[in-house]
Amino acid sequence: GESVGLHLPTLSVQEGDNSIINCAYSNSASDYFIWYKQESGKGPQFIIDIRSNMDKRQGQRVTVLLNKTVKHLSLQIAATQPGDSAVYFCAENMEGYSTLTFGKGTMLLVSP
Amino acid sequence: KAGVTQTPRYLIKTRGQQVTLSCSPISGHRSVSWYQQTPGQGLQFLFEYFSETQRNKGNFPGRFSGRQFSNSRSEMNVSTLELGDSALYLCASSSPSGKLYEQYFGPGTRLTVT
């Protein structure tokens, strides 16, 4: 598959653990913050989003937290599974535009 | 519904040559964006096309260009290739009725410049 994680921070967890992936964003004027997952050999895949006027949003097994004071975003994955192993990117978006500004990414490795 | 397709998947070119990459968006999607992905710089936005018009452009030199056809298929072109252009080029489309930032990505074209 495609190698995209040569210079990425890595988070290694055991199957069943909860994972927390962090991201510092740059633009305090961004309207939406989004998490994408990229598996080897594939393009990024949308996971969950949060609007800038919210501080928490939950999905299926995932929760995104937004702290605008320190421009920090986190993705929590509950009961991590081997299939969650991938590179995770946070992204910012301005309302009305489709353009995404991506963070550097974190590689998540889940051991059985 | 078929996903975003990109051709070719792999390409090797030499410095100074030019290259054209192709992207077919999901049926019904009219917005197509291109991103460059490298280990050092991560994912960077190149440009976006909507209804055959370039709507947004990232901070890349003029050697990078694109176009979109009436069927929403898009091509990007890189002229006078440099070693630093080696990257994974990703195409993404979004639905006119969905969230603009919910991009559907293709698998990418891996370009290697020697």
Side-chain angles (χ1 to χ4, degrees):
Chain A
E2 304 300 340
S3 175
V4 298
L6 293 180
H7 305 296
L8 296 175
T10 300
L11 175 65
S12 296
V13 301
Q14 293 285 113
E15 182 177 3
D17 287 351
N18 295 331
S19 302
I20 300 176
I21 300 170
N22 297 303
C23 172
Y25 63 89
S26 57
N27 187 355
S28 56
S30 293
D31 296 301
Y32 295 95
F33 300 90
I34 311 105
W35 283 98
Y36 276 82
K37 170 187 180 183
Q38 187 174 23
E39 297 174 279
S40 182
K42 298 182 179 179
Q45 179 184 14
F46 175 93
I47 302 173
I48 190 169
D49 60 327
I50 187 168
R51 196 181 170 95
S52 61
N53 62 355
M54 300 170 66
D55 52 24
K56 181 178 180 178
R57 186 156 188 239
Q58 288 185 290
Q60 189 175 16
R61 277 202 311 120
V62 294
T63 301
V64 57
L65 299 177
L66 175 63
N67 184 331
K68 292 183 288 295
T69 303
V70 294
K71 293 199 280 188
H72 183 268
L73 190 66
S74 69
L75 177 71
Q76 300 178 359
I77 305 174
T80 315
Q81 303 166 0
D84 295 327
S85 293
V87 177
Y88 290 80
F89 294 94
C90 64
E92 305 171 54
N93 171 262
M94 299 287 286
E95 183 148 26
Y97 296 88
S98 60
T99 306
L100 296 167
T101 301
F102 283 91
K104 292 295 185 187
T106 297
M107 180 173 285
L108 176 65
L109 296 175
V110 184
S111 306
Chain B
K1 208 182 246 190
V4 176
T5 58
Q6 294 186 246
T7 57
R9 290 293 310 276
Y10 301 91
L11 204 51
I12 300 174
K13 291 285 189 178
T14 56
R15 278 180 297 176
Q17 288 187 312
Q18 74 164 11
V19 66
T20 299
L21 312 181
S22 182
C23 171
S24 292
I26 292 172
S27 177
H29 288 193
R30 292 162 61 193
S31 167
V32 174
S33 298
W34 289 89
Y35 292 82
Q36 181 196 64
Q37 187 172 29
T38 60
Q41 298 299 317
L43 277 152
Q44 293 185 289
F45 171 73
L46 279 157
F47 29 66
E48 183 217 358
Y49 285 86
F50 182 84
S51 293
E52 301 178 66
T53 301
Q54 187 180 88
R55 191 159 68 171
N56 290 301
K57 188 177 190 305
N59 189 25
F60 278 81
R63 299 185 297 107
F64 292 80
S65 63
R67 58 178 176 169
Q68 187 180 33
F69 302 95
S70 58
N71 62 358
S72 293
R73 190 178 69 86
S74 177
E75 290 180 346
M76 68 163 281
N77 183 277
V78 189
S79 62
T80 320
L81 284 164
E82 300 177 359
L83 294 179
D85 297 332
S86 294
L88 181 67
Y89 289 89
L90 291 158
C91 165
S93 69
S94 61
S95 168
S97 59
K99 301 171 186 175
L100 289 175
Y101 53 78
E102 188 170 350
Q103 303 274 301
Y104 293 82
F105 283 83
T109 294
R110 167 67 67 183
L111 172 64
T112 302
V113 182
T114 62

